[in-house]
Structure formats: structure tokens, C-alpha cells
């Protein structure tokens, strides 16, 4: 047997580009245009270098205490890890490898099929309707399932599904873990978090990367019944005892506690989102209503690939997937007001050049 045949090769997830050059308007990975909380900055500046001599707290107590206080959930029901990507990757391994297919929408976070492939979990994708909406009954089938994962608001559509839909799915699937990935929930919609007291099969996953402006620190967290969280910790501890580093634990706790700053940041982004939505509509774009910090938009006449390339020439990066159903859509992160002005001016120019009415 050749060496190659003994090695596991897998097609990985492709994250949005992180360009090194300056002067780019970066609206491609849903980062926050505003700085992290000043409380976070103060805390980070005060961490003595000496404290990095020791391994970090494997139980991440400071961060989990902060999450517990802010969200009113007992600490035993909170897990935290290196970005929600790592939390989700471990959750797939912990909850979804028991047999049967994992269900998720055909258009959703494109890391889900990659984790499924990594763990060889069979997948059944469930088509969203014409308007990119999720229908609860599609997930209420009697088949044997490994689990269900729904991003709410969904990515890359930005559409929020009501809690009644989430509850119907939870009720129809006792004994099957349902993960609700709430990476964007701070920008719109009601969280499924209060439902964890009512359903023993619900896990809610969140992140500090978007609304708390800490994509570079990598903090994600999960809430769920203690039995499921204990299982998640055991899998984590069979893989790496120290996933979050000391700075993330301490700085993350300070950021989580600064709820006033979070609220202020989200309000600014929502206001800019609504202004951008108005501008896009006036230029002939259509898009589902967004409850996230991005808009998933398609122009009525100009192909998405052309707009994407023309924006890139102007050093404006957005995200596009060359996939069925969504090839003409651009996922545009809501940036600062100045970035939005530059984006709108560029789009006007591009659409005019391509001969469409503006
Ligand atoms: N879930 C969804 C739906 C996302 O869009 C992202 C961001 N790419 C993540 C999870 C992961 O975010 P992070 O690992 O930065 O917490």
C-alpha cells in the first residue's frame, strides 16, 4: 500500500479571505466594524506576562462565570471553546455520530457538511423553499436521525426562523440533539436560549466573533442540559485539556460582562444594515429580510459574479459562492457607515457600467 493510501485526505472548509494588504474594505467574513469593548481592552492590557507561565484554567471558570451571570444559566450548563467553529466541531463528534443522517438546510453554514464528512456522518440536506425559508415539517419526519442543526438567523441568507418553528422541531424529535447555531442572534430575532429549560435535546451555540467584535480571539460557547454539556467536556478533554488560552478566558469574561457596549454596537450595526438595505433596494437588488450583520443580495439584471469581480477591483471584498441557487447572490457584511458609503458608491458605478438602470 502506498503512503498516500494510508493518509486521510479531506476537502476542508474554505474561510473567507483575510487579505494582508491595507486599504481593503473588508465585507466578506461578517466581522464587526467597531472595536471590542473598552472593558476588554483594559483587562487585556493588565494581564501580567507572568500569568502565561502556567497552563490556563482548563475549566475556563472566569469566562463561564461571566456567561452564567449575563445569560442567567448555571455554569454546569455552559461549555466554551475556541470559536463556535470548535464548539460545533466537537458537538458534531459528541452528539451526531450515533447513527442515521444529520439533517440541515441545503443552504446554510458551509462548514456543516465538512464536519459531517470529517466524522463520516451521513447527511440529508433539506431544501429551503423559494424564499429561503425553513419549514418545520421537513424536520419532523419519523426517520432515524443522527441530529439536526439549524443556524438561526441562517447563514448566508440572514433569515430568522421564529421560535415556534424551533419548538416544533424540538417536540417532534425527542431523543435527538437539535443544535441551534445563534452566531448572529444579537443582530435580530429572539434567542432559543430560554427553551433549554423546557427541552432536554436542545443545544444553543453562540460566538464572541461577531457582535462582540472578537473574531481574532476565538471564543465560542454552548448552552444545554448538563448531561449534554458533560459529554461535550469529556470529548474536549479527550482531545486537548486546554483549548481556550488564558487571555481568552480573562479578556473574554470582561467582554461578555460589558452588555451595555454589546447593545450599543448591535444598535449601530442594525441601523447601518437598514440604511444599506434601502440603498440596495433602490439600486435594483433583492434580498431576504436580514436579522444578521450581513445582507444576502442579488441584482435584478447584473450577474453576481460580475459585481463580485468589479467590487474586488475596487478593493471591496464581499463573499460569493459558486453554487446552485445562490450563484448570483453576494453576502455583504454590514460595515461602518463610511465603508457602507464607499460600497454604495461603488455599486452604483458598477451597475451603471453594466448598463442597468440606477
Ligand atoms: N456559525 C455560523 C453560522 C457562522 O457564520 C460562523 C462564522 N463563520 C460560525 C458559526 C463560526 O464563528 P466563530 O468560529 O468565529 O465563532
Amino acid at each position: 500500500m502506498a503512503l498516500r493510501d494510508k493518509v486521510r485526505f479531506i476537502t476542508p472548509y474554505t474561510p473567507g479571505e483575510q487579505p494582508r494588504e491595507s486599504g481593503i474594505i473588508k465585507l466578506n467574513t461578517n466581522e464587526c466594524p467597531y472595536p471590542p469593548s473598552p472593558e476588554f481592552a483594559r483587562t487585556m492590557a493588565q494581564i501580567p506576562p507572568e500569568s502565561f507561565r502556567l497552563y490556563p484554567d482548563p475549566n475556563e471558570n472566569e469566562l463561564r462565570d461571566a456567561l452564567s451571570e449575563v445569560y442567567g444559566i448555571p455554569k454546569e450548563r455552559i461549555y466554551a471553546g475556541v470559536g463556535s467553529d470548535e464548539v460545533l466541531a466537537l458537538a458534531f463528534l459528541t452528539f451526531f455520530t450515533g447513527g442515521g443522517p444529520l439533517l440541515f438546510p441545503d443552504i446554510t453554514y458551509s462548514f456543516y457538511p465538512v464536519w459531517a464528512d470529517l466524522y463520516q456522518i451521513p447527511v440529508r440536506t433539506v431544501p429551503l423553499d423559494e424564499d429561503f425559508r425553513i419549514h418545520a415539517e421537513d424536520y419532523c419526519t419519523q426517520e432515524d436521525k443522527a441530529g439536526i442543526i439549524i443556524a438561526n438567523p441562517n447563514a448566508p441568507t440572514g433569515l430568522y426562523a421564529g421560535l415556534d418553528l424551533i419548538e416544533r422541531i424540538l417536540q417532534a424529535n425527542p431523543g435527538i440533539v437539535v443544535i441551534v447555531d445563534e452566531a448572529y442572534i444579537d443582530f435580530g430575532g429572539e434567542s432559543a436560549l430560554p427553551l433549554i429549560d423546557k427541552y432536554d435535546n436542545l443545544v444553543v451555540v453562540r460566538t464572541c466573533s461577531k457582535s462582540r467584535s472578537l473574531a481574532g480571539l476565538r471564543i465560542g460557547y454552548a448552552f444545554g442540559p448538563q448531561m449534554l454539556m458533560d459529554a461535550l467536556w469529556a470529548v474536549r478533554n479527550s482531545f486537548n485539556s486546554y483549548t481556550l488560552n488564558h487571555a481568552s478566558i480573562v479578556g473574554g469574561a470582561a467582554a461578555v460582562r460589558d452588555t451595555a457596549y454589546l447593545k450599543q454596537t448591535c444598535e449601530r450595526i442594525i441601523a447601518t444594515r437598514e440604511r444599506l438595505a434601502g440603498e440596495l433596494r433602490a439600486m435594483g437588488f433583492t434580498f431576504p429580510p436580514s436579522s444578521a450583520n450581513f445582507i444576502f443580495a442579488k441584482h435584478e439584471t447584473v450577474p453576481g459574479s460580475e459585481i463580485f469581480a468589479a467590487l474586488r477591483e475596487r478593493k471591496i471584498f464581499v463573499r460569493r459562492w459558486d453554487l446552485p441557487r445562490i450563484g448570483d447572490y453576494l453576502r455583504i457584511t454590514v460595515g461602518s457607515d463610511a465603508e457602507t458609503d464607499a460600497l454604495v458608491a461603488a455599486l452604483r458605478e458598477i451597475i451603471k457600467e453594466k448598463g442597468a438602470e440606477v
Side-chain angles (χ1 to χ4, degrees):
M1 198 190 253
L3 177 66
R4 268 197 85 78
D5 298 326
K6 294 187 192 278
V7 176
R8 173 79 182 277
F9 288 100
I10 188 163
T11 308
Y13 172 74
T14 314
E17 242 178 294
Q18 294 296 129
R20 286 271 145 245
E21 52 182 306
S22 60
I24 286 173
I25 297 186
K26 194 175 174 305
L27 306 175
N28 66 335
T29 50
N30 299 339
E31 287 136 335
C32 178
Y34 304 113
S37 138
E39 291 300 326
F40 164 78
R42 208 165 298 139
T43 304
M44 291 296 270
Q46 285 169 1
I47 300 176
E50 165 70 13
S51 59
F52 291 98
R53 193 175 58 78
L54 303 178
Y55 283 105
D57 171 10
N59 300 316
E60 304 156 0
N61 281 298
E62 264 187 81
L63 176 63
R64 286 168 63 227
D65 283 340
L67 289 165
S68 174
E69 257 172 65
V70 165
Y71 292 104
I73 307 285
K75 197 169 157 184
E76 302 71 45
R77 301 174 69 183
I78 303 174
Y79 174 88
V82 186
S84 53
D85 279 343
E86 191 204 55
V87 176
L88 289 165
L90 290 178
F92 271 49
L93 178 57
T94 313
F95 306 134
F96 294 158
T97 50
L102 170 66
L103 271 58
F104 52 79
D106 61 342
I107 299 165
T108 191
Y109 186 28
S110 41
F111 222 140
Y112 301 160
V114 175
W115 289 314
D117 183 27
L118 177 63
Y119 303 125
Q120 299 172 344
I121 302 166
V123 163
R124 187 164 76 76
T125 54
V126 183
L128 296 175
D129 74 11
E130 292 276 280
D131 300 321
F132 297 137
R133 294 206 178 266
I134 295 169
H135 291 270
E137 61 271 21
D138 296 341
Y139 296 83
C140 299
T141 47
Q142 284 308 308
E143 76 201 287
D144 189 24
K145 305 181 189 82
I148 296 171
I149 180 161
I150 306 274
N152 199 28
N154 197 11
T157 64
L159 266 170
Y160 172 75
L163 285 190
D164 47 338
L165 179 140
I166 302 290
E167 280 212 74
R168 279 181 62 201
I169 295 175
L170 286 162
Q171 279 163 8
N173 290 283
I176 290 161
V177 173
V178 177
I179 297 183
V180 181
D181 176 355
E182 292 191 337
Y184 301 103
I185 195 70
D186 291 331
F187 305 107
E190 214 181 320
S191 172
L193 197 50
L195 299 180
I196 65 165
D197 287 330
K198 211 167 149 190
Y199 299 97
D200 66 1
N201 56 337
L202 171 63
V203 173
V204 176
V205 175
R206 297 270 196 97
T207 179
C208 288
S209 298
K210 319 288 179 185
S211 53
R212 288 196 176 85
S213 199
L214 290 176
L217 204 63
R218 310 299 295 128
I219 298 176
Y221 46 100
F223 301 101
Q226 192 179 341
M227 188 263 283
L228 296 182
M229 295 301 102
D230 286 350
L232 200 48
W233 282 112
V235 167
R236 199 284 308 249
N237 290 331
S238 310
F239 158 81
N240 178 356
S241 311
Y242 314 100
T243 45
L244 280 185
N245 61 58
H246 180 63
S248 296
I249 295 169
V250 176
V256 164
R257 285 209 165 87
D258 196 349
T259 53
Y261 186 79
L262 171 73
K263 186 163 175 277
Q264 185 193 320
T265 307
C266 292
E267 281 170 1
R268 285 176 85 180
I269 291 169
I270 292 167
T272 311
R273 178 184 74 205
E274 296 314 308
R275 180 166 78 83
L276 174 62
E279 297 279 11
L280 289 173
R281 215 173 283 122
M283 281 187 266
F285 283 91
T286 51
F287 44 89
S290 171
S291 296
N293 66 338
F294 55 83
I295 295 181
F296 193 55
K298 164 186 165 177
H299 193 263
E300 55 198 5
T301 54
V302 187
S305 55
E306 291 185 21
I307 306 176
F308 179 86
L311 281 174
R312 222 187 136 86
E313 272 170 30
R314 289 166 173 80
K315 291 192 163 197
I316 301 178
F317 285 25
V318 297
R319 194 98 196 261
R320 175 180 168 264
W321 290 267
D322 206 0
L323 291 175
R325 293 187 73 182
I326 59 169
D328 267 327
Y329 283 83
L330 303 173
R331 192 199 64 190
I332 307 169
T333 303
V334 177
S336 66
D337 282 309
E339 287 172 330
T340 303
D341 292 343
L343 168 76
V344 168
L347 285 172
R348 276 211 194 98
E349 235 177 67
I350 292 164
I351 287 161
K352 205 164 168 188
E353 270 173 28
K354 307 275 175 194
E357 288 286 316
V358 184

